Amino acid sequence: MSTTVNADSTKPVRSTNTFAVPPLASGKRSGKTVNFNLKLGVSQTQFFKGVNTATLGINQSYLGPVLRAKRGDKVRITVENQIGVGSTLHWHGMMLPASMDGGPHQEIKNGESWVSEYEIKQEASTLWYHSHQMHQTGAQVYYGLAGLFILDDDDSHQLGLPHEYGVDDIPCTIQDRRFKRDGNLSYIDSMHDRMMGMEGNTILVNGVVTPVLKAQRSLLRLRLHNGSNARTYQLAFSDERSFQVIASDGGFLAAPVTVKSLRLAVGERIEVLVDVSDRKVVQLQSQQSSGGGMMRMMSGGSEPFTVMTIDAKQVKESAHTIPKTLRAMKAIPDPKDAIKTRQFDLQMGMGMMGGGFRINGKSMDISRIDFEVKRNSTEIWEVRNDSPMAHPFHVHNVQFHILDRNGKKPTQIESGLKDTVLVQRGEVVRIIMTFPEYSDSKIPYMYHCHILEHEDQGMMGQFVVV
C-alpha cells in the first residue's frame, strides 16, 4: 500500500505516488459553439494500490476532465446523470443565465440529461464545476463530482506565461479525504463533522494521494484549487522559497505578487509561478490544518503537512520568465455608484439547542426568494461573521471586488476579481459587484457558505436578477 500523508501527523512522510494531470476536454467545435459531453457515473478508484474505493466520477472514475473554452465561445454542455439519484452540475465563477447555472433548481434526475448553453463573456481565469444538489452537495462532491474549467482569451497568451498544459501549466485540485480500514471513503462520522464541515486526514491532488510531480520545466505555473469540503489551506514550500501569485478566482492580477505563503479557502483558486531552476526536491505544504476561530484551534492539527512534492532534478530550462506586469485589471466600481447596500449575517447554532446554519436568521428554503437585484446594477454587500469559525462566502453569477476587511483594504493577492471570500470569525467584509445583464424573475441564483456541510444544512439564500 502506498504511503499516505496524514494531515494530522507530525512526521513528514515521503509519498511515492505519481502526479496525475487531469485529462483535458477541449470539446467538439462547430463554428463558435463548443460541445462538451459529461456523464456522471458510479465507479471505483484505486487511491491505494490493490484497494478499490467506491467513488463518483465525471467521464472517469473520480473527479472530471478539465474543460477548456475561450472568451467569445458559446459552450453547449450535455450532462447525463447515471449515479442512481438526482444531481446537478454548477459552473462555479461563471457569469451565465440563471437557468444554465446548474444550481439546485436545475436538478438532473437519474437516467436523464440536461443541456447548459451559454456564451463565455469573461476574461481568462481558472473556474470549476461541481454538484450543487440540494442537501447532497457535500456528499456528492466528496465522492468525486467536481472538475476544473479553464477560460482563455486572446490577450492571455501575449503575457509570456507558461501555457503548455500538463507540462508547465499544471492544474492542482487539492482535497482532503478520510478513508475507512476497508479502503472506502468515510463521510460524516460525527456531530463534529457536521458542525465544522467534513475534514479528512489524507491529502489528494487531482485524486492522487500526496503525489510527486516530476517537473519538466524550470518555471511552473500551478493552478491551485481548493476542492475540499471544509478545510482551509495555508500553502508554503518546505524550504520557504518565494513564489509569485499571478491570478485569483476571476482572472489575472495587475502584476505578480511575491509571497512565501498564501491562504486558500474552500472554492478559491489562485494561480502561481514557481521557479524550480535550482533542481531541488521540495514539498508544497500546508502550514496549518484549517480555517480560523476557536473551534479550529480546539480541534488541534497545527503541524505542517505535505500536499505534494515537486521533484525538479530533471528540469529543462523554461522559455518563459516571470513578467513584470500582467494586465490592467477591471476598475473597481465606485462605491458611490452602488444603488443598494445589503447586510448578510452568517450564523451557526452550537450545542444541544443548535439553531442550525443561517444567513440573516433564515435557513435555506428552495421555495423562498430572499431578494431581487436589478441587472447591470452595482451593489455593496456587507458580510458579517458572528459565528465561532471562518466561512468562505460565495455568490453565483458574479465576480466581485473586496472593498475592505474590518475597514482595512484587502491584500494585493485579494485585489483582483473574486467569487469566493473567506470571512473570519468576528469579521465584516465588504464586497462590491455589478450584476451581469442576464435577468430571470423566476429562477434564482445562490449565495452561500462554501463549507459544503454548512450549505447543505441551510447556510444559503437565493436572489433573482430582474
Side-chain angles (χ1 to χ4, degrees):
M1 189 179 279
S2 307
T3 322
T4 69
V5 172
N6 188 320
D8 305 315
S9 164
T10 54
K11 293 178 187 153
V13 187
R14 195 56 57 79
S15 163
T16 54
N17 297 326
T18 303
F19 186 91
V21 176
L24 181 64
S26 300
K28 287 200 172 72
R29 187 174 281 279
S30 168
K32 280 249 171 180
T33 301
V34 186
N35 294 280
F36 295 97
N37 290 299
L38 298 178
K39 182 176 175 182
L40 315 183
V42 176
S43 192
Q44 292 188 323
T45 303
Q46 287 200 5
F47 297 104
F48 310 105
K49 198 174 177 185
V51 180
N52 286 329
T53 300
T55 50
L56 299 175
I58 304 166
N59 293 8
Q60 55 189 20
S61 73
Y62 180 78
L63 297 178
V66 172
L67 306 186
R68 193 156 200 164
K70 191 175 166 186
R71 188 177 192 169
D73 283 345
K74 188 174 188 184
V75 295
R76 189 174 193 274
I77 309 168
T78 304
V79 185
E80 182 189 345
N81 177 12
Q82 294 290 348
I83 68 168
V85 294
S87 190
T88 79
L89 270 192
H90 162 58
W91 319 110
H92 179 123
M94 200 73 78
M95 299 174 196
L96 74 182
S99 61
M100 302 298 168
D101 182 52
H105 291 268
Q106 288 88 50
E107 181 180 12
I108 316 161
K109 296 210 169 358
N110 181 55
E112 295 185 2
S113 294
W114 170 67
V115 176
S116 180
E117 201 165 358
Y118 52 91
E119 188 183 336
I120 305 291
K121 294 191 173 184
Q122 55 211 97
E123 295 183 349
S125 49
T126 304
L127 309 183
W128 67 300
Y129 61 95
H130 60 83
S131 164
H132 213 305
Q133 179 71 359
M134 190 71 181
H135 302 310
Q136 295 298 318
T137 299
Q140 291 190 4
V141 172
Y142 193 80
Y143 278 89
L145 295 188
L148 284 177
F149 200 143
I150 294 175
L151 301 186
D152 299 305
D153 61 29
D154 286 334
D155 301 333
S156 55
H157 285 310
Q158 313 303 314
L159 297 174
L161 295 166
H163 61 264
E164 196 177 343
Y165 182 82
V167 176
D168 57 9
D169 181 356
I170 300 166
C172 303
T173 288
I174 304 167
Q175 299 173 306
D176 56 338
R177 294 293 182 259
R178 193 186 300 162
F179 291 89
K180 299 176 186 168
R181 287 190 177 276
D182 66 3
N184 277 311
L185 287 164
S186 171
Y187 181 69
I188 301 203
D189 297 323
S190 65
M191 180 56 85
H192 184 272
D193 293 341
R194 277 184 205 287
M195 293 301 296
M196 308 302 302
M198 182 68 200
E199 292 190 352
N201 55 9
T202 302
I203 302 298
L204 310 178
V205 180
N206 300 340
V208 178
V209 176
T210 50
V212 177
L213 170 67
K214 289 209 182 296
Q216 298 177 63
R217 298 288 184 273
S218 60
L219 186 65
L220 300 178
R221 175 184 184 177
L222 304 181
R223 297 177 187 256
L224 302 172
H225 161 227
N226 185 342
S228 296
N229 280 39
R231 185 184 292 276
T232 295
Y233 299 90
Q234 187 70 38
L235 298 171
F237 287 97
S238 51
D239 61 358
E240 300 185 348
R241 72 177 62 201
S242 300
F243 54 100
Q244 282 70 39
V245 177
I246 58 169
S248 57
D249 299 335
F252 291 111
L253 303 180
V257 180
T258 300
V259 298
K260 289 195 170 184
S261 170
L262 64 81
R263 185 178 68 195
L264 196 65
V266 178
E268 288 185 313
R269 291 85 60 212
I270 283 184
E271 294 183 38
V272 301
L273 296 179
V274 188
D275 183 339
V276 292
S277 57
D278 56 10
R279 298 174 183 264
K280 289 185 176 170
V281 177
V282 64
Q283 280 79 40
L284 177 65
Q285 297 181 324
S286 184
Q287 294 174 328
Q288 54 173 44
S289 69
S290 210
M294 289 300 294
M295 302 286 297
R296 291 294 188 206
M297 282 154 47
M298 282 156 49
S299 56
S302 59
E303 291 294 327
F305 55 85
T306 295
V307 173
M308 61 186 270
T309 299
I310 298 175
D311 177 350
K313 292 198 289 264
Q314 308 287 321
V315 295
K316 295 193 171 104
E317 177 108 13
S318 174
H320 306 282
T321 55
I322 296 164
K324 294 271 191 294
T325 60
L326 292 161
R327 65 159 52 146
M329 284 193 293
K330 277 187 180 160
I332 297 176
D334 188 332
K336 292 194 198 77
D337 293 337
I339 62 167
K340 191 160 184 72
T341 298
R342 299 182 193 273
Q343 272 86 28
F344 298 83
D345 282 347
L346 309 181
Q347 300 149 333
M348 56 187 278
M350 302 297 295
M352 295 299 286
M353 299 309 287
F357 295 84
R358 304 175 311 284
I359 298 177
N360 292 342
K362 293 176 182 171
S363 192
M364 169 68 183
D365 177 349
I366 200 161
S367 62
R368 182 191 73 233
I369 303 296
D370 292 287
F371 54 89
E372 54 183 48
V373 305
K374 290 189 169 64
R375 69 178 186 172
N376 296 320
S377 70
T378 298
E379 293 193 356
I380 293 170
W381 289 14
E382 292 182 359
V383 188
R384 178 185 300 276
N385 182 1
D386 292 324
S387 83
M389 62 180 283
H391 299 279
F393 185 76
H394 170 53
V395 188
H396 287 210
N397 185 47
V398 295
Q399 291 288 341
F400 54 73
H401 282 96
I402 300 171
L403 283 175
D404 47 51
R405 290 177 170 275
N406 283 349
K408 292 182 182 156
K409 278 197 162 174
T411 63
Q412 282 178 292
I413 296 179
E414 289 196 321
S415 63
L417 286 169
K418 300 273 297 156
D419 53 53
T420 306
V421 60
L422 188 67
V423 187
Q424 297 284 5
R425 172 176 174 250
E427 194 170 42
V428 179
V429 176
R430 291 196 315 146
I431 59 178
I432 188 166
M433 60 203 123
T434 300
F435 294 90
E437 72 271 25
Y438 304 110
S439 61
D440 190 321
S441 60
K442 300 272 193 298
I443 301 175
Y445 297 103
M446 307 287 130
Y447 56 91
H448 57 87
C449 172
H450 220 290
I451 292 175
L452 301 184
E453 290 68 38
H454 294 179
E455 167 193 327
D456 281 341
Q457 293 176 90
M459 199 180 277
M460 180 159 70
Q462 317 188 90
F463 67 98
V464 291
V465 181
V466 295

